[in-house]
Every structure is written in C-alpha cells, then in structure tokens.
C-alpha cells in the first residue's frame, strides 16, 4: 500500500486468528501505510499465531493483548493497558464475530434464544463495548472500522442468525457514528465478499456461494483480504475524513445484482 498514509498513527486490530484472517489483511495494509499496530486476541489458542504473525511485520514491536469482548471488565482492562502503553490511538479495526455453527445452516427458524443472544453479544454489541473504551484513547479524533457481510442486508441461505447479528452491527455503526462524530471519531463498516477464512468454515455450503461470486459478480472473482485491507487504510486515513456511518462493499460488486 505504501503512500505512508498512516505514518505516525497507532491502531488496534482486534480479531486476527491466522494468516488468512481478514484482520491480518487489514494489519498488513495498515503496516504498509506506516501505522503502528496493537493486536488483541480472544482465546489463548490464538495468542501464539497472532504473536508469530505480528513478528513478521518489519519494524513493528507490536503489543499483543488478550481481549474477551463478552466481558466488559476485560474490554476495559485491555484498553487501560493500551492507554498505559501508548496513550493515544487513532482507530480500531473490529474484526470479531461468532455464532453457533449449528445455527449457520438450515432454517433460520431453528435459532434458539441462547444462540441468538450469543451471536448478538459477540458479533454486534462488542462494537459498542469497544467504542466506549476506545473513545477515551482517541484524543486526536479517530476512526473505527468493523466487518460485515451482505447477509446482514438480505436473507442469504444458511447465514441465518449471523445475518440478524450483522443487521444489528450495521445499525450500531450508524448510531455510533451519530454519537461520536462530535468527538471527531468516524465509524464505518466494510462489507466484504466471501473469503475462505477460519470463520467461513462455520457457514454451511460456503463453497457454493464463493463459486456463485466467481461466476456472476461484476468483477468475476472472489474478494481478497488485501482488497479489504486497502479499503481499511482509506477509512482510517485523511482521505475518508468526510465519511462516517457508511458501509463500503468490497465484494467484486456482487451486492448490485
Ligand atoms: C451463506 C453465506 C456464505 C458467505 C459467508 C461469508 C462470511 C464468512 C465468515 C464470516 O464470519 C463468521 C464469523 C464467525 C462465525 O461463526 C463461527 C465460525 C466458525 C465456527 C463456529 O462455530 N462459528 C461465522 C462466520 C462472515 O460473517 C461471513
């Protein structure tokens, strides 16, 4: 990406699981644009792969912290540690979602109350929980970017309970943008086309959707984490200073069909 668009700025990237993660694509683009990065991971299982990946970024001595977004105390202590380490941050990439695999197939009607609330808790409310804590560290203004999918706007087979959570996330983006604009903090979403990540393995028949994109999307190809990463650089940079509450589709144009 280069262009040093983010030179001297610090960002928190939440949700790197492995090198196929969209969050990792975002981290690489931010790093190329000159940003300083801090990583958070959800489970101990992820710690090693996040540390190993972060170490591959030339000239980055990244802080890597645990952050369980289902715990308000954990989110608060995570951002307290970040504040003590760097003082000010310029943005957060929120790349966190989860739903029970059993509810990502068949009829949406099969969703139970517990599964519904779990998906909402991790995939939607977590953005608000993070924004509350991150706000106090963005003393020079900032930008928050989250990830969504077309299934939050349309009923896409198998996406089910995650689609309802993404609809909630996308509405949260607008309300957070409304609240935080006066603090110079922008809030936007990137609606990424299907990418073969660890998370995608939880969605039934993912392959048939990927094939449909490659055959029918205007650009006739699947989305890459690099493309999403570069759009994140735009949303974190001065170039998007007039953009907030927006949802940018990086999906080879599929959503227009
Ligand atoms: C039928 C739609 C096919 C395209 C799905 C694109 C997509 C792929 C991955 C996405 O992110 C998640 C994240 C967690 C998630 O829940 C999971 C993931 C793995 C295991 C598990 O038990 N739950 C499901 C999808 C996502 O929100 C959207």
């Amino acid at each position: 990406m280069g262009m040093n668009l983010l030179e001297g700025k610090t960002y928190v990237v939440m949700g790197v699981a492995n090198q196929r993660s969209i969050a990792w694509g975002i981290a690489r683009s931010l790093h190329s644009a000159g940003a300083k990065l801090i990583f958070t991971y959800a489970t101990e299982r992820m710690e090693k792969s996040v540390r190993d990946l972060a170490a591959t970024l030339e000239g980055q001595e990244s802080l890597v912290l645990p952050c369980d977004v289902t715990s308000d105390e954990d989110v608060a202590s995570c951002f307290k540690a970040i504040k003590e380490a760097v003082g000010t941050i310029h943005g957060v990439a929120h790349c966190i979602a989860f739903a029970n695999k059993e509810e990502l197939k068949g009829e949406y009607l099969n969703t139970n109350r517990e599964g519904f609330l779990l998906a909402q808790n991790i995939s939607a409310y977590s953005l608000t929980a993070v924004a509350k804590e991150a706000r106090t560290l963005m003393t020079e203004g900032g930008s928050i970017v989250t990830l969504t999918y077309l299934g939050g706007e349309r009923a896409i087979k198998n996406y089910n309970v995650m689609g309802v959570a993404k609809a909630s996330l996308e509405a949260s983006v607008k309300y957070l943008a409304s609240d935080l604009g006066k603090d110079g903090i922008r809030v936007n979403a990137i609606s990424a086309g299907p990418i073969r990540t660890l998370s995608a393995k939880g969605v039934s028949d993912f392959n048939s959707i990927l094939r449909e994109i490659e055959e029918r999307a205007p650009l006739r190809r699947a989305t890459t984490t690099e493309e999403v990463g570069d759009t994140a650089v735009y949303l974190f940079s001065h170039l998007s200073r007039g953009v907030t509450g927006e949802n940018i589709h990086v999906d080879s144009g599929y959503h227009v069909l």
Side-chain angles (χ1 to χ4, degrees):
M1 182 72 196
M3 290 214 273
N4 299 337
L5 277 169
L6 303 179
E7 201 69 63
K9 293 190 172 180
T10 301
Y11 298 89
V12 181
V13 179
M14 308 179 80
V16 173
N18 61 34
Q19 65 183 13
R20 294 169 74 160
S21 298
I22 294 178
W24 179 241
I26 290 173
R28 282 191 298 139
S29 291
L30 298 189
H31 172 71
S32 299
K36 178 178 164 66
L37 303 177
I38 294 167
F39 294 92
T40 75
Y41 58 87
T43 63
E44 298 303 302
R45 200 159 52 88
M46 303 290 167
E47 177 172 9
K48 185 168 176 354
S49 60
V50 177
R51 286 193 189 286
D52 291 349
L53 284 168
T56 67
L57 298 176
E58 286 298 305
Q60 284 275 359
E61 297 294 311
S62 299
L63 188 59
V64 178
L65 297 166
C67 184
D68 167 9
V69 293
T70 64
S71 156
D72 290 331
E73 296 72 30
D74 224 46
V75 177
S77 65
C78 174
F79 279 87
K80 180 169 175 285
I82 292 170
K83 184 179 173 70
E84 283 161 9
V86 301
T88 295
I89 62 173
H90 301 88
V92 180
H94 170 278
C95 308
I96 296 168
F98 188 81
N100 290 326
K101 203 170 180 170
E102 309 72 53
E103 300 191 324
L104 297 172
K105 62 185 172 202
E107 287 197 336
Y108 168 68
L109 267 169
N110 295 335
T111 305
N112 63 39
R113 188 179 302 269
E114 183 196 5
F116 180 95
L117 292 173
L118 176 73
Q120 290 283 340
N121 189 4
I122 297 178
S123 317
Y125 182 72
S126 63
L127 180 68
T128 300
V130 164
K132 279 158 78 124
E133 299 300 332
R135 174 190 211 175
T136 59
L137 279 69
M138 288 189 266
T139 53
E140 298 168 4
S143 177
I144 297 173
V145 175
T146 190
L147 294 177
T148 190
Y149 174 62
L150 188 61
E153 300 171 79
R154 299 184 199 157
I156 294 179
K157 186 172 176 298
N158 294 322
Y159 199 58
N160 300 353
V161 69
M162 185 63 89
V164 177
K166 290 301 189 181
S168 172
L169 178 74
E170 290 176 23
S172 302
V173 163
K174 298 168 192 168
Y175 281 91
L176 290 169
S178 174
D179 285 346
L180 294 171
K182 60 183 173 299
D183 298 349
I185 298 168
R186 297 180 290 110
V187 188
N188 294 288
I190 296 174
S191 187
I195 298 173
R196 202 183 295 284
T197 61
L198 189 62
S199 290
K201 293 184 186 316
V203 186
S204 181
D205 201 16
F206 169 86
N207 293 328
S208 65
I209 291 277
L210 199 58
R211 197 169 29 257
E212 152 104 358
I213 307 295
E214 290 167 344
E215 287 167 4
R216 296 188 57 234
L219 296 181
R220 296 289 191 281
R221 59 178 176 74
T223 303
T224 67
T225 61
E226 290 75 14
E227 290 171 336
V228 177
D230 289 347
T231 297
V233 169
Y234 159 74
L235 285 172
F236 282 123
S237 79
H238 181 70
L239 299 178
S240 61
R241 60 192 176 283
V243 178
T244 195
E246 186 54 87
N247 178 15
I248 300 183
H249 294 77
V250 181
D251 67 346
S252 297
Y254 186 77
H255 70 287
V256 305
L257 302 181

